[in-house]
Amino acid sequence: MPKQFLKGNEAVVKGAILAGCKAYYGYPITPASEIAHAAALYFPRAGGTFIQAESEIAAINMVYGASSAGLRAMTASSGPGISLKQEGVSYCAGSELPCVIVDIMRGGPGLGSIAPEQSDYNQVVKGGGHGNYKNIVLAPNSVQEMCDLGILAFDLADKYRNPVFVLTDGFIGQMMEPVEFPEPIAQEKIPEKSWVVKGTIETSDNVITSIELDPDDLERHVNKLQKKYSIIEEQEVRVEEYHTDDAEIVLIGYGIVSRIIHSVIDELREEGVKAGMLRPITLFPFPKKKIAELTERVKFFLTLEMSNGQMVDDVRLVVEGKKPVYFYNRMGGNVPSMKEVHDKVMKIMRLS
Amino acid sequence: MNKVLRKSDVFYDVYERRPGADKLTTTYCPGCGHGILHKLIAEALEDFGVQDRTIFISPVGCSVFAYYYFHTGNVQVAHGRAPAVGTGLKRANPNSIVISYQGDGDLAAIGGLEIINAANRGEGLTVFFVNNAIYGMTGGQMAPTTLIGQITMTTPLGRSVENEGYPIHMSEIIATLEAPVYVERVMLGDTKSIMHTRKAVRKALKIQIEKNGFSFIEVLSACPSGWKMTPIQGEKWVTDTMTKYFPLGVIKDISDTFEGRDFSRKNVEPSELHEILDIKETRIDAEKIAPFIMKSVAEEIKIAGFGGQGVLSLGTVLSEMGMRHNYEVSWLPSYGPEMRGGTANCSVKISSKKIGSPVVANPTILIAMNRPSLDKFETDVVSGGLIVYDSSLIDRAPTRTDVTVIPIPATKMADELGNTKIANMIIVGALIKHLGIMSQEIVLDSLGDVLKRKKLVPLNQKAILKGAEFIKNIK
Ligand SMILES: Cc1ncc(C[n+]2csc(CCOP(=O)(O)OP(=O)(O)O)c2C)c(N)n1
Ligand code: SF4
Ligand SMILES: [Mg+2]
């Protein structure tokens, strides 16, 4: 079996290279630095470029350049660095440049800590930079998914000409698990891009830009983006469900939290508690239909986060007060223990 | 002079991208330097026959719409970021000719970091730095190059040294770096100065076309609108006043000795990637693991000790060996709040079932390699669990009576083998022997695939055997 045992941060790099990514630009930050380490080692060998940029702002703009030139390109960082990248991400969204940004979340605000948190949800899922745009956001919860969703990220980025985030936490980045790597994508499978600027006669009439000074022109452009986002919402929702069929209470969480929920559900089921899990794999598009459907048949929701309650807002918008949505969180780098989650579920069930 | 004024083929005949009715004139004010510099660049690109290969980066500033005019590949970018975007463009297609065209606000203020570092890396870019001592586009605010005493919208009483400091000399700064090939300051004043600028523009582009070298041309340039002057007054102010603060001339030129840069990337076939990425088949010997595969295993292991004792690698070796026995495995290092005082720990799960949470709160096995680790984690171990501790370093026995305890003088044994660092492998050997969930033969055989430092494999094998022997003797 072609299994390899390695860190999430390394798996995402190998996956990216297998996906035909040829350019990595980044600035070191814990707990994402192993991504830069692996990229520095493998990108040049694999026919790509690696540059340690002077800042996250420079890194995302190098990605902007590489993507304008038609390459699959990526960068990676964590909280403070993602904040700096937001300007560039907004420009990528406006210019409709495909790119992949990996965010290995750490504690905030400010310098916060290097321990895992999920407090970048709002700045990544809601756009983060200025303007009416959305990122596609994929949320891996295993080292295998760091590879698989990393690869998917490049396909979606090209398909929709849109920035795609791989959003996860320090634990998923730092942990090691076995990974099975797929075959590399053949060059001809990567879609031909006619809009790029490559320094060739064929592309010398092309322009990459996000500026539209005429209000009607800009409105048309932004409306076109919104249409793209609705298509993404129609077509790209991905979830994992675990024992939701007959569940009375559904726990919602992503990243490392979903791994803990998974174990707690096993315990609860053994105790006869009808608990299930919904794990959004895509945070944008958010699984609205799925949650609406569950709202019809479950008694309670419990959203678990390592943030101050950022995703729970999205859950509540869908549930519309029809069923109670409870919330439990830990912050500062603490991870909710199985016992805490278990106790919280039992408390809710007793209330009923 | 006629040649300079003829409209180059590098410009579009009709500026279709320009909104509104006027598609024939530029957006620049009369007497503005941008228009003249555009012409010099266009003419050079035409003469050198590189129009098709050229990518022109439009900055944020009055030249934001340069892409209306230049019939080349065009990329419009965020304020100050052109050198970073240019880096991405050039590295992607080293054969392209990339022009980073920037104003003084764009390059010397908000984009200061990007220009310095692109210059320092020696990117194959040609930078045209339009120094008009003001922010033209936003209505005439102070620039880093605004002169002392110069009145702008944000220095209504004139730029003062006390509040704003001195005008920045970008060319001199860039010239202190080693990588830039050619740095010159020129001006757009009388015809003679324009003809000189023309030469500098051509030389800078040539350096990129022929040798992929980094050039930086600072162009002192009039902004009559921002300066509230007539075009004639503007030209005079550039010539008489700006040049006093910003002396003209070549500041650096190593083009004769510069050997050129090669930004080309390696040509790699997708079929080569698995090997390049060190993705190998993990040998799993079905016959040898047969006796273990029916076992129901659910070990949650906490391994803790000082940094440097090999705590983390003890965990990775155990997990990787577990993987080679077809168990589900996970390894999670401590980092963040727990990683204080030089102690390290990791959580390992080895299970015959799919692993949910990789976090180990209540270990079935605690491996304590120093006293603080035993003190910290002893109470967490599940009843009926196992504590293995390094009895050569820890001066107390665990107090728990509901768990199995194995004291093993691992550090002492490692010293006897001649290397303190392999205490961790002695524990691996002991644990594997004690648990009986893995084949010692497979462990010894695959050590070479698992360890990074191949030279140390024989020593590590010895340590594993020694640990196993220790268990055999106490049983
Ligand atoms: C991040 C950001 N900050 C501020 C601005 C507003 N802005 C547009 S152009 C400009 C100054 C441009 O001055 P300069 O680079 O000297 O170009 P000039 O117009 O003089 O040619 C500023 C501050 C912006 N577009 N983006
Ligand atoms: S404002 Fe100044 S820099 Fe801008 S176009 Fe007018 S003269 Fe040129
Ligand atoms: Mg200016």
Side-chain angles (χ1 to χ4, degrees):
Chain A
M1 230 180 285
K3 270 190 189 171
Q4 251 208 313
F5 187 69
L6 76 179
K7 284 194 174 192
N9 281 345
E10 294 160 340
V12 76
V13 171
K14 294 191 180 189
I17 290 173
L18 294 175
C21 179
K22 290 274 190 261
Y24 182 97
Y25 300 109
Y27 190 86
I29 185 169
T30 312
S33 289
E34 293 86 358
I35 301 181
H37 303 169
L41 183 66
Y42 290 118
F43 268 78
R45 285 188 197 170
T49 301
F50 169 89
I51 293 180
Q52 178 169 326
E54 56 270 28
S55 72
E56 287 85 351
I57 297 175
I60 187 72
N61 279 286
M62 290 174 187
V63 167
Y64 186 100
S67 178
S68 298
L71 293 192
R72 286 192 160 183
M74 73 180 292
T75 182
S77 190
S78 183
I82 298 297
S83 301
L84 282 183
K85 284 186 201 294
Q86 294 292 12
E87 176 199 54
V89 177
S90 166
Y91 275 76
C92 287
S95 300
E96 294 193 87
L97 288 174
C99 61
V100 172
I101 305 125
V102 183
D103 179 0
I104 309 296
M105 287 182 281
R106 61 185 243 167
L111 208 44
S113 84
I114 58 171
E117 248 191 16
Q118 297 181 322
S119 47
D120 290 355
Y121 182 94
N122 279 346
Q123 75 154 334
V124 168
V125 177
K126 303 294 173 179
H130 59 288
N132 299 302
Y133 76 94
K134 289 264 188 198
N135 303 307
I136 297 172
V137 186
L138 308 176
N141 82 342
S142 66
V143 178
Q144 183 68 54
E145 281 194 353
M146 286 293 273
C147 166
D148 297 346
L149 296 182
I151 292 172
L152 176 66
F154 286 98
D155 291 340
L156 293 177
D158 278 350
K159 183 170 172 193
Y160 294 103
R161 284 188 62 181
N162 207 70
V164 179
F165 269 87
V166 175
L167 180 70
T168 196
D169 48 83
F171 269 7
I172 301 298
Q174 293 293 326
M175 71 187 278
M176 291 175 97
E177 283 180 319
V179 190
E180 284 182 51
F181 286 101
E183 287 303 314
I185 291 176
Q187 198 58 44
E188 54 282 7
K189 287 266 171 64
I190 298 176
E192 225 9 86
K193 300 166 186 172
S194 58
W195 49 266
V196 300
V197 172
K198 294 207 286 198
T200 58
I201 188 157
E202 299 77 27
T203 63
S204 69
D205 260 322
N206 290 345
V207 56
I208 307 294
T209 181
S210 60
I211 187 170
E212 293 282 4
L213 285 191
D214 181 89
D216 290 334
D217 287 346
L218 183 57
E219 188 172 51
R220 214 172 296 124
H221 174 62
V222 174
N223 273 330
K224 184 185 129 198
L225 296 181
Q226 306 316 306
K227 202 160 163 204
K228 173 164 88 176
Y229 306 144
S230 353
I231 295 171
I232 292 169
E233 291 207 70
E234 275 306 310
Q235 302 197 343
E236 304 299 345
V237 173
R238 286 166 173 80
V239 294
E240 179 196 346
E241 288 179 83
Y242 191 54
H243 289 307
T244 50
D245 289 356
D246 62 342
E248 291 178 356
I249 180 165
V250 165
L251 285 65
I252 305 180
Y254 67 99
I256 187 67
V257 173
S258 66
R259 298 285 295 262
I260 293 155
I261 294 176
H262 196 282
S263 294
V264 174
I265 304 271
D266 286 345
E267 279 182 1
L268 289 165
R269 285 276 161 177
E270 269 178 35
E271 294 160 22
V273 180
K274 287 190 172 162
M277 172 178 78
L278 179 72
R279 167 169 81 99
I281 295 174
T282 51
L283 293 171
F284 179 79
F286 196 67
K288 292 181 189 166
K289 275 191 194 147
K290 188 81 236 171
I291 292 174
E293 184 194 312
L294 288 171
T295 306
E296 300 302 318
R297 49 189 169 91
V298 308
K299 287 190 185 154
F300 318 99
F301 289 99
L302 169 59
T303 302
L304 293 142
E305 290 178 60
M306 282 153 57
S307 74
N308 61 341
Q310 302 190 7
M311 182 177 69
V312 70
D313 288 349
D314 286 332
V315 176
R316 288 187 172 133
L317 276 175
V318 182
V319 177
E320 289 181 312
K322 289 178 192 153
K323 295 286 163 64
V325 177
Y326 294 93
F327 175 65
Y328 184 76
N329 71 333
R330 292 299 304 268
M331 291 186 282
N334 289 308
V335 180
S337 70
M338 284 173 59
K339 180 166 181 312
E340 286 164 32
V341 179
H342 189 277
D343 289 354
K344 181 74 187 177
V345 171
M346 295 317 286
K347 205 168 142 197
I348 294 167
M349 298 303 276
R350 271 198 301 276
L351 286 176
S352 65
Chain B
M1 197 57 208
N2 259 347
K3 193 157 187 218
V4 174
L5 294 177
R6 179 184 70 85
K7 188 163 168 179
S8 161
D9 287 347
V10 170
F11 289 127
Y12 284 108
D13 288 337
V14 179
Y15 306 139
E16 295 291 353
R17 287 179 180 138
R18 185 172 178 184
D22 181 0
K23 309 247 182 232
L24 293 175
T25 63
T26 70
T27 43
Y28 300 118
C29 311
C32 172
H34 282 303
I36 307 171
L37 183 59
H38 280 19
K39 283 178 191 152
L40 298 178
I41 294 170
E43 183 211 23
L45 294 175
E46 182 179 345
D47 290 351
F48 297 152
V50 294
Q51 175 179 8
D52 299 338
R53 280 164 62 194
T54 299
I55 302 174
F56 193 100
I57 307 178
S58 304
V60 174
C62 278
S63 46
V64 64
F65 295 122
Y67 67 85
Y68 289 174
Y69 319 121
F70 281 91
H71 185 180
T72 57
N74 281 287
V75 180
Q76 200 293 312
V77 303
H79 200 17
R81 316 300 176 215
V85 174
T87 299
L89 285 164
K90 183 79 184 187
R91 299 290 187 115
N93 294 300
N95 191 42
S96 51
I97 305 303
V98 181
I99 294 173
S100 181
Y101 186 104
Q102 305 181 258
D104 40 42
D106 193 85
L107 182 140
I110 197 166
L113 190 66
E114 284 79 5
I115 187 62
I116 296 275
N117 283 277
N120 194 46
R121 285 190 303 269
E123 297 296 340
L125 307 174
T126 308
V127 179
F128 294 112
F129 169 42
V130 178
N131 178 356
N132 56 13
I134 203 152
Y135 286 13
M137 170 160 241
T138 37
Q141 299 86 357
M142 186 195 75
T145 47
T146 291
L147 303 188
I148 302 301
Q150 187 184 336
I151 289 173
T152 72
M153 297 303 282
T154 48
T155 52
L157 304 177
R159 180 178 184 156
S160 74
V161 170
E162 289 72 25
N163 204 50
E164 286 90 19
Y166 294 93
I168 195 164
H169 289 85
M170 282 312 294
S171 290
E172 284 77 359
I173 291 173
I174 297 295
T176 62
L177 304 171
E178 277 179 51
V181 177
Y182 169 49
V183 181
E184 178 164 0
R185 184 181 289 116
V186 294
M187 73 166 184
L188 297 172
D190 60 2
T191 307
K192 200 171 146 226
S193 71
I194 293 174
M195 289 318 282
H196 184 81
T197 299
R198 175 176 179 269
K199 255 172 74 186
V201 165
R202 296 169 82 89
K203 176 166 175 164
L205 283 167
K206 262 257 149 79
I207 288 170
Q208 181 177 176
I209 293 165
E210 286 170 3
K211 296 184 178 177
N212 268 328
F214 178 94
S215 299
F216 185 94
I217 306 297
E218 176 171 347
V219 184
L220 305 184
S221 167
C223 173
S225 303
W227 298 347
K228 303 194 177 20
M229 291 182 190
T230 64
I232 295 185
Q233 288 170 325
E235 186 191 313
K236 191 167 158 42
W237 200 73
V238 170
T239 314
D240 298 345
T241 311
M242 278 188 87
T243 50
K244 282 207 197 95
Y245 286 87
F246 298 111
L248 302 180
V250 174
I251 301 163
K252 182 178 180 193
D253 183 1
I254 53 165
S255 56
D256 280 348
T257 50
F258 176 66
E259 288 184 349
R261 280 281 290 271
D262 180 7
F263 293 104
S264 58
R265 288 176 282 116
K266 244 172 105 177
N267 203 359
V268 171
E269 290 300 316
S271 56
E272 301 169 67
L273 286 178
H274 270 219
E275 198 185 328
I276 288 172
L277 294 175
D278 299 318
I279 297 171
K280 289 181 221 122
E281 297 263 322
T282 299
R283 282 185 294 123
I284 292 182
D285 191 329
E287 224 168 89
K288 282 188 192 151
I289 67 167
F292 303 94
I293 139 162
M294 300 305 291
K295 288 199 192 266
S296 166
V297 173
E299 298 299 355
E300 307 204 354
I301 312 172
K302 180 70 90 181
I303 306 158
F306 292 121
Q309 276 187 306
V311 165
L312 301 184
S313 59
L314 198 166
T316 56
V317 169
L318 274 181
S319 327
E320 280 214 54
M321 294 306 175
M323 180 178 91
R324 275 152 214 269
H325 289 76
N326 254 345
Y327 296 122
E328 301 285 339
V329 293
S330 67
W331 173 93
L332 181 68
S334 65
Y335 83 99
E338 292 165 50
M339 220 170 73
R340 293 195 196 101
T343 62
N345 77 72
C346 64
S347 298
V348 169
K349 290 201 176 184
I350 302 178
S351 174
S352 17
K353 282 202 299 209
K354 185 177 165 181
I355 293 169
S357 167
V359 180
V360 172
N362 297 107
T364 59
I365 302 171
L366 168 65
I367 300 173
M369 297 190 63
N370 66 5
R371 168 95 192 241
S373 301
L374 182 64
D375 292 348
K376 185 170 177 201
F377 295 114
E378 180 180 350
T379 49
D380 295 340
V381 178
V382 296
S383 185
L386 169 69
I387 297 178
V388 180
Y389 71 100
D390 188 336
S391 55
S392 42
L393 296 181
I394 302 174
D395 55 4
R396 75 160 177 95
T399 53
R400 292 276 296 267
T401 52
D402 60 338
V403 297
T404 308
V405 173
I406 303 180
I408 171 165
T411 300
K412 195 164 149 264
M413 289 162 68
D415 284 339
E416 284 162 17
L417 283 177
N419 190 337
T420 310
K421 288 212 157 140
I422 52 163
N424 60 350
M425 286 299 144
I426 290 179
I427 293 179
V428 168
L431 194 67
I432 283 168
K433 181 79 188 168
H434 175 80
L435 294 176
I437 60 171
M438 295 184 207
S439 140
Q440 184 174 294
E441 195 189 337
I442 292 181
V443 170
L444 291 173
D445 276 0
S446 38
L447 211 53
D449 298 336
V450 169
L451 296 180
K452 284 213 176 77
R453 292 174 53 201
K454 307 292 171 213
K455 246 178 40 198
L456 295 179
V457 171
L459 183 65
N460 281 277
Q461 285 169 330
K462 248 193 233 166
I464 286 173
L465 284 169
K466 189 114 181 187
E469 193 186 295
F470 176 86
I471 294 294
K472 210 169 118 200
N473 293 339
I474 62 168
K475 275 210 167 153

